[in-house]
Every structure is written in structure tokens, then in C-alpha cells.
Amino acid sequence: MNKSKNVTFLATLLLAPFLLTGCIGEKYYESPPEAFLQVGDELYKLKEGNRKWNFTEGEYDKEYINLKELAAKEKQISVKPGSSGFLIIEQNEIEGMNPYSGVRIGVVARKGEDLDMLSEADKTFFFPKEKGNYVLEIDFDSDQGDTEFVANIKVK
């Protein structure tokens, strides 16, 4: 009986490192995403605004009071009225990956104080038909955290 316990203990001791290596190599998607806007063949990195992230104890959290001012500092992106845009959400520069769960994306075009909801669910949306300067606000909500992105848009 004593010999049996020793064999079990030794076997466990020898197998433990092999069992744990599966956990060590696992990828966890805890960091916030980057967002890009595709218009036709052009790809633009979106400016990150407010962020509240769940896994990082405040490490990734940031706050901008005025998203319009933040967008105004960005290079203006010219688009045609009613043309389509496509959002690309990436994590850790892994192209095309979207490992986040419970994702909800809202896209709003703001002109002055007027808001125009462009999309509440899809990554594809259409820009306003009315010409003018807009702040594009993308609200990315997931189970891992929430992040806003902005762009300076000119519909011409």
C-alpha cells in the first residue's frame, strides 16, 4: 500500500509539468482592440477615445471629456455622400481576429449637435448623404470592456 502511494505521487510529479504546459501556451484576449475604417481601398486607423477595460485594474482605462475636440485633431477623411464604410476591429495586431465576446458596435455621425445613427449592429454602414464635416463616433462594447473611437469625416 505504501509503495502504491509512492508510485502515484511520482507519476503525478512527473506528469504535472506536461499537463500545465497547455495552460501556459493559451492566448488570452484581455487587452483592448484597435479599430480601422475602410473606405473603398483606403484604410485609416481610428483615434481611440474613452476606454473602460475590465481585466486590467485601470491599466488601460482612459477618458477624454470632449470627443469632438479629439477628432478635430485628426487628419480629415473625405468620403462621398452615402458611400459605405467598414470597421475592422483587431486585437494585438492579429489581422482579422475579433476574439471578444458579447460585442456590440454603435456608429454615430455627429454634425454640430445633431446625431445620425449609422449602425447599431453591423461593421458595415453608410455615411450621411448630406455634405459637411462630421465626427464619426464608434462605440465598441464587449464583455471584456468598452472603448470609443473617433474620426474626422468630411462628406463632399
Side-chain angles (χ1 to χ4, degrees):
M1 179 121 149
N2 211 3
K3 188 175 180 182
S4 173
K5 285 183 182 180
N6 287 341
V7 170
T8 304
F9 176 74
L10 284 173
T12 304
L13 196 60
L14 290 172
L15 289 175
F18 295 109
L19 295 173
L20 291 175
T21 54
C23 298
I24 294 169
E26 186 85 19
K27 286 187 179 181
Y28 294 99
Y29 299 104
E30 295 180 355
S31 62
E34 293 182 318
F36 300 86
L37 173 63
Q38 183 174 354
V39 179
D41 294 335
E42 298 294 321
L43 191 63
Y44 305 93
K45 184 172 184 193
L46 298 175
K47 181 69 174 179
E48 187 176 51
N50 300 313
R51 179 175 53 211
K52 177 72 176 145
W53 211 249
N54 299 334
F55 287 107
T56 57
E57 299 177 21
E59 176 185 345
Y60 286 110
D61 294 353
K62 28 161 88 167
E63 184 176 345
Y64 290 93
I65 302 302
N66 193 329
L67 292 177
K68 289 189 269 186
E69 286 180 11
L70 182 63
K73 296 175 185 176
E74 295 300 298
K75 181 181 175 191
Q76 198 168 55
I77 301 169
S78 295
V79 299
K80 294 179 182 176
S83 62
S84 66
F86 180 73
L87 294 174
I88 299 170
I89 307 293
E90 294 183 355
Q91 195 274 340
N92 283 342
E93 300 176 2
I94 301 171
E95 189 171 325
M97 286 201 71
N98 187 0
Y100 304 101
S101 60
V103 173
R104 294 165 304 284
I105 299 174
V107 182
V108 173
R110 181 185 299 270
K111 184 177 182 184
E113 296 303 314
D114 296 332
L115 291 176
D116 187 4
M117 179 63 78
L118 303 180
S119 173
E120 286 188 89
D122 201 2
K123 292 181 186 176
T124 301
F125 60 92
F126 295 93
F127 291 101
K129 293 180 181 176
E130 183 180 325
K131 294 180 180 181
N133 296 321
Y134 293 85
V135 173
L136 188 69
E137 297 177 8
I138 292 89
D139 187 16
F140 176 86
D141 294 330
S142 75
D143 293 343
Q144 289 83 351
D146 305 328
T147 303
E148 294 176 327
F149 299 94
V150 295
N152 185 357
I153 303 293
K154 180 172 185 111
V155 177
K156 63 179 192 169

